[in-house]
């Protein structure tokens, strides 16, 4: 009998019974999507291991996803895949690619401009550019299609993971300015389900021009969320020609496990 025939016999006969720790170790070395979509269907024993908390808790430990957990997840598999998929859904948040990905809603004064970070760096010193506003309102936006980003409607409705918003903004030291932000969770018809729209932040002239972070977490927002609309901008308050208004950069929207923060 040839080696090829031997292999066929092995795979068409009964699967050998593996010790639990051996089976789990083997599954830990298989890509996670294949574990769920292929290995889980092999037999009842494999299904039980794939569905166990211990397998996904160990994957989280090995890949460093437990370091920021403040309480134990109810579903370790869901927690793992949310961590694995976690990323910034906004395109070009740091002005590295000019205005690509952004829709300019208002372009007042001398219009939006991209400038380099100079005297006052951000806490994340890899951020090297920002968007600067002028003496009349400048506002820009992005619309995120969650299904296109890999978050199916049934997943969003059933699990409602946290949606974390972050935006960095700073005034110039020599001119007053205003900053505004509005983030909306939208249904399939792009109608708002939930909105985060804090009061306009006003900076006086002769300030410390430090960078500030605006954050918000959407939780328990209910079913139906299909899009996220992100809008921010501002202007200066002295109507000076040029770009003396608020500066914004390093914006982010992330889908996260509910135990994250």
């Amino acid at each position: 009998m040839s080696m090829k025939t031997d292999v066929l016999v092995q795979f068409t006969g009964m699967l050998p019974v593996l010790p639990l720790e051996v089976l789990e170790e083997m599954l830990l070395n298989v890509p996670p999507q294949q574990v769920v979509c292929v290995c889980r269907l092999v037999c009842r024993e494999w299904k039980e291991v794939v569905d166990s908390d211990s397998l996904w808790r160990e994957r989280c430990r090995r890949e460093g996803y437990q370091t920021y957990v403040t309480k134990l997840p109810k579903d370790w598999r869901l927690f793992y895949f949310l961590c694995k998929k976690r990323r910034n859904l906004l395109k070009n948040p740091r002005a590295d690619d000019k205005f690509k990905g952004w829709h300019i809603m208002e372009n007042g004064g001398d219009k939006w401009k991209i400038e380099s970070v100079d005297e006052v760096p951000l806490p994340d010193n890899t951020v090297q550019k920002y968007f600067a506003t002028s003496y009349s309102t400048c506002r820009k936006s992005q619309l995120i299609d969650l299904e296109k980003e890999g978050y199916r409607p049934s997943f969003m409705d059933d699990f409602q993971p946290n949606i974390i918003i972050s935006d960095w903004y700073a005034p110039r030291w020599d001119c007053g300015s205003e900053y505004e932000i509005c983030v909306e969770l939208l249904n399939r018809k792009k109608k708002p389900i939930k909105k985060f729209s804090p009061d306009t932040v006003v900076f006086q002239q002769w300030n410390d021009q430090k960078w500030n972070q605006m954050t918000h977490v959407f939780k328990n927002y209910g079913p139906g969320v299909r899009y996220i609309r992100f809008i921010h901008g501002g202007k200066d308050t002295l109507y000076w020609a040029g770009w003396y208004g608020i500066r914004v950069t390093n914006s982010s929207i992330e889908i996260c496990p509910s135990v994250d923060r």
Side-chain angles (χ1 to χ4, degrees):
M1 186 179 292
S2 68
M3 182 179 296
K4 183 176 180 181
T5 306
D6 286 341
V7 172
L8 286 174
V9 169
Q10 290 175 24
F11 280 91
T12 54
M14 294 291 291
L15 284 168
V17 177
L18 298 173
L20 181 60
E21 61 273 16
V22 174
L23 176 57
E24 186 171 285
E25 183 62 32
M26 183 188 74
L27 293 173
L28 286 167
N29 288 278
V30 175
Q33 293 286 354
Q34 291 185 27
V35 171
V36 174
C37 298
V38 179
C39 299
R40 188 175 183 271
L41 306 179
V42 170
C43 64
R44 181 181 299 175
E45 181 188 11
W46 285 35
K47 178 180 180 299
E48 289 176 355
V49 175
V50 171
D51 289 345
S52 69
D53 278 346
S54 63
L55 178 73
W56 299 100
R57 184 168 57 243
E58 179 61 16
R59 286 199 89 118
C60 287
R61 187 192 68 79
R62 293 190 183 189
E63 297 184 34
Y65 295 146
Q66 284 183 290
T67 56
Y68 54 79
V69 175
T70 56
K71 61 180 181 179
L72 294 178
K74 293 180 179 178
D75 185 330
W76 279 97
R77 182 167 65 183
L78 173 63
F79 177 81
Y80 172 82
F81 278 105
L82 279 172
C83 290
K84 192 81 172 174
K85 190 186 286 285
R86 182 174 180 174
R87 66 196 188 281
N88 188 359
L89 300 179
L90 290 174
K91 308 298 188 290
N92 187 30
R94 303 177 173 190
D96 293 321
D97 200 6
K98 298 183 179 180
F99 291 97
K100 185 176 181 180
W102 292 97
H103 169 63
I104 304 299
M105 302 174 66
E106 294 186 66
N107 218 4
D110 288 323
K111 303 181 179 181
W112 283 97
K113 184 184 179 183
I114 294 171
E115 296 183 338
S116 297
V117 174
D118 43 24
E119 297 94 351
V120 182
L122 282 87
D124 181 352
N125 57 20
T126 64
V127 181
Q128 297 296 313
K129 295 180 181 179
Y130 58 79
F131 302 94
T133 62
S134 191
Y135 59 85
S136 188
T137 299
C138 295
R139 190 179 288 122
K140 60 187 177 71
S141 68
Q142 285 194 36
L143 181 67
I144 296 169
D145 184 329
L146 290 170
E147 189 165 12
K148 287 184 178 179
E149 295 294 338
Y151 298 97
R152 297 190 305 274
S154 58
F155 171 82
M156 294 301 299
D157 291 349
D158 293 343
F159 297 107
Q160 297 177 34
N162 287 357
I163 301 174
I164 299 181
I165 312 300
S166 174
D167 198 25
W168 288 88
Y169 60 100
R172 284 180 57 108
W173 71 276
D174 54 354
C175 185
S177 59
E178 296 181 356
Y179 163 79
E180 60 182 59
I181 183 173
C182 177
V183 185
E184 297 175 310
L185 307 185
L186 310 175
N187 64 18
R188 64 183 181 84
K189 295 183 178 180
K190 298 184 175 68
K191 301 297 182 182
I193 292 176
K194 293 287 184 180
K195 177 190 287 190
F196 171 64
S197 184
D199 293 339
T200 299
V201 180
V202 180
F203 293 94
Q204 301 301 317
Q205 189 180 23
W206 314 122
N207 58 77
D208 59 10
Q209 68 176 354
K210 73 175 183 179
W211 287 93
N212 302 270
Q213 185 182 24
M214 179 68 73
T215 61
H216 180 72
V217 182
F218 288 101
K219 300 179 179 180
N220 304 317
Y221 37 80
V225 174
R226 302 294 178 263
Y227 300 90
I228 304 173
R229 180 183 288 127
F230 180 97
I231 305 169
H232 67 175
K235 62 179 182 178
D236 82 46
T237 57
L238 299 180
Y239 303 98
W240 288 358
W243 298 272
Y244 291 85
I246 203 72
R247 302 173 286 181
V248 294
T249 191
N250 205 24
S251 315
S252 68
I253 296 177
E254 296 181 326
I255 307 294
C256 305
S258 60
V259 299
D260 193 15
R261 295 183 183 179

